[in-house]
mmCIF file of all heavy atoms in Angstrom:
data_model
loop_
_atom_site.group_PDB
_atom_site.id
_atom_site.type_symbol
_atom_site.label_atom_id
_atom_site.label_comp_id
_atom_site.label_asym_id
_atom_site.label_seq_id
_atom_site.Cartn_x
_atom_site.Cartn_y
_atom_site.Cartn_z
ATOM 1 N N ALA T 75 -2.907 6.906 12.800
ATOM 2 C CA ALA T 75 -2.381 8.216 12.397
ATOM 3 C C ALA T 75 -2.057 8.156 10.916
ATOM 4 O O ALA T 75 -0.897 8.111 10.506
ATOM 5 C CB ALA T 75 -1.126 8.540 13.217
ATOM 6 N N ASN T 76 -3.108 8.151 10.116
ATOM 7 C CA ASN T 76 -2.925 7.980 8.680
ATOM 8 C C ASN T 76 -2.491 9.283 8.012
ATOM 9 O O ASN T 76 -2.943 10.367 8.377
ATOM 10 C CB ASN T 76 -4.224 7.490 8.037
ATOM 11 C CG ASN T 76 -4.643 6.132 8.576
ATOM 12 O OD1 ASN T 76 -3.838 5.379 9.109
ATOM 13 N ND2 ASN T 76 -5.933 5.838 8.448
ATOM 14 N N LEU T 77 -1.637 9.156 7.020
ATOM 15 C CA LEU T 77 -1.183 10.318 6.252
ATOM 16 C C LEU T 77 -2.034 10.426 4.989
ATOM 17 O O LEU T 77 -2.178 9.441 4.256
ATOM 18 C CB LEU T 77 0.293 10.166 5.873
ATOM 19 C CG LEU T 77 0.871 11.275 4.991
ATOM 20 C CD1 LEU T 77 1.008 12.574 5.789
ATOM 21 C CD2 LEU T 77 2.228 10.862 4.420
ATOM 22 N N VAL T 78 -2.542 11.603 4.751
ATOM 23 C CA VAL T 78 -3.301 11.866 3.532
ATOM 24 C C VAL T 78 -2.502 12.846 2.681
ATOM 25 O O VAL T 78 -2.123 13.923 3.157
ATOM 26 C CB VAL T 78 -4.698 12.438 3.836
ATOM 27 C CG1 VAL T 78 -5.458 12.684 2.534
ATOM 28 C CG2 VAL T 78 -5.478 11.491 4.742
ATOM 29 N N ILE T 79 -2.243 12.458 1.448
ATOM 30 C CA ILE T 79 -1.569 13.340 0.501
ATOM 31 C C ILE T 79 -2.601 13.724 -0.549
ATOM 32 O O ILE T 79 -3.169 12.850 -1.226
ATOM 33 C CB ILE T 79 -0.367 12.651 -0.180
ATOM 34 C CG1 ILE T 79 0.604 12.100 0.865
ATOM 35 C CG2 ILE T 79 0.343 13.630 -1.104
ATOM 36 C CD1 ILE T 79 1.760 11.290 0.269
ATOM 37 N N SER T 80 -2.858 14.997 -0.668
ATOM 38 C CA SER T 80 -3.835 15.455 -1.658
ATOM 39 C C SER T 80 -3.108 15.835 -2.944
ATOM 40 O O SER T 80 -1.922 16.163 -2.931
ATOM 41 C CB SER T 80 -4.606 16.658 -1.118
ATOM 42 O OG SER T 80 -3.722 17.733 -0.885
ATOM 43 N N ALA T 81 -3.829 15.753 -4.046
ATOM 44 C CA ALA T 81 -3.296 16.181 -5.355
ATOM 45 C C ALA T 81 -1.887 15.627 -5.584
ATOM 46 O O ALA T 81 -0.923 16.392 -5.720
ATOM 47 C CB ALA T 81 -3.300 17.700 -5.448
ATOM 48 N N SER T 82 -1.775 14.309 -5.632
ATOM 49 C CA SER T 82 -0.466 13.660 -5.754
ATOM 50 C C SER T 82 0.312 14.176 -6.962
ATOM 51 O O SER T 82 -0.253 14.465 -8.025
ATOM 52 C CB SER T 82 -0.653 12.146 -5.898
ATOM 53 O OG SER T 82 -1.263 11.601 -4.763
ATOM 54 N N GLN T 83 1.629 14.230 -6.754
ATOM 55 C CA GLN T 83 2.535 14.651 -7.828
ATOM 56 C C GLN T 83 3.544 13.539 -8.078
ATOM 57 O O GLN T 83 3.804 12.720 -7.194
ATOM 58 C CB GLN T 83 3.271 15.939 -7.411
ATOM 59 C CG GLN T 83 2.355 17.097 -7.095
ATOM 60 C CD GLN T 83 3.099 18.284 -6.498
ATOM 61 O OE1 GLN T 83 4.307 18.233 -6.254
ATOM 62 N NE2 GLN T 83 2.364 19.377 -6.276
ATOM 63 N N LEU T 84 4.135 13.546 -9.256
ATOM 64 C CA LEU T 84 5.114 12.500 -9.589
ATOM 65 C C LEU T 84 6.260 12.480 -8.573
ATOM 66 O O LEU T 84 6.792 11.415 -8.234
ATOM 67 C CB LEU T 84 5.653 12.710 -11.006
ATOM 68 C CG LEU T 84 4.635 12.567 -12.136
ATOM 69 C CD1 LEU T 84 5.300 12.837 -13.482
ATOM 70 C CD2 LEU T 84 3.970 11.195 -12.139
ATOM 71 N N GLY T 85 6.617 13.646 -8.082
ATOM 72 C CA GLY T 85 7.703 13.744 -7.102
ATOM 73 C C GLY T 85 7.355 13.175 -5.740
ATOM 74 O O GLY T 85 8.228 13.081 -4.868
ATOM 75 N N ASP T 86 6.109 12.800 -5.539
ATOM 76 C CA ASP T 86 5.712 12.180 -4.275
ATOM 77 C C ASP T 86 6.086 10.702 -4.225
ATOM 78 O O ASP T 86 5.980 10.073 -3.161
ATOM 79 C CB ASP T 86 4.195 12.314 -4.066
ATOM 80 C CG ASP T 86 3.748 13.754 -3.868
ATOM 81 O OD1 ASP T 86 4.568 14.582 -3.427
ATOM 82 O OD2 ASP T 86 2.569 14.050 -4.166
ATOM 83 N N SER T 87 6.482 10.135 -5.340
ATOM 84 C CA SER T 87 6.889 8.729 -5.353
ATOM 85 C C SER T 87 8.100 8.545 -4.438
ATOM 86 O O SER T 87 9.154 9.153 -4.651
ATOM 87 C CB SER T 87 7.243 8.284 -6.778
ATOM 88 O OG SER T 87 6.103 8.291 -7.600
ATOM 89 N N ALA T 88 7.934 7.728 -3.430
ATOM 90 C CA ALA T 88 8.974 7.553 -2.407
ATOM 91 C C ALA T 88 8.496 6.538 -1.387
ATOM 92 O O ALA T 88 7.353 6.077 -1.439
ATOM 93 C CB ALA T 88 9.275 8.879 -1.696
#
Side-chain angles (χ1 to χ4, degrees):
Chain T
N76 298 339
L77 176 71
V78 181
I79 305 175
S80 62
S82 298
Q83 301 172 356
L84 295 179
D86 294 335
S87 294

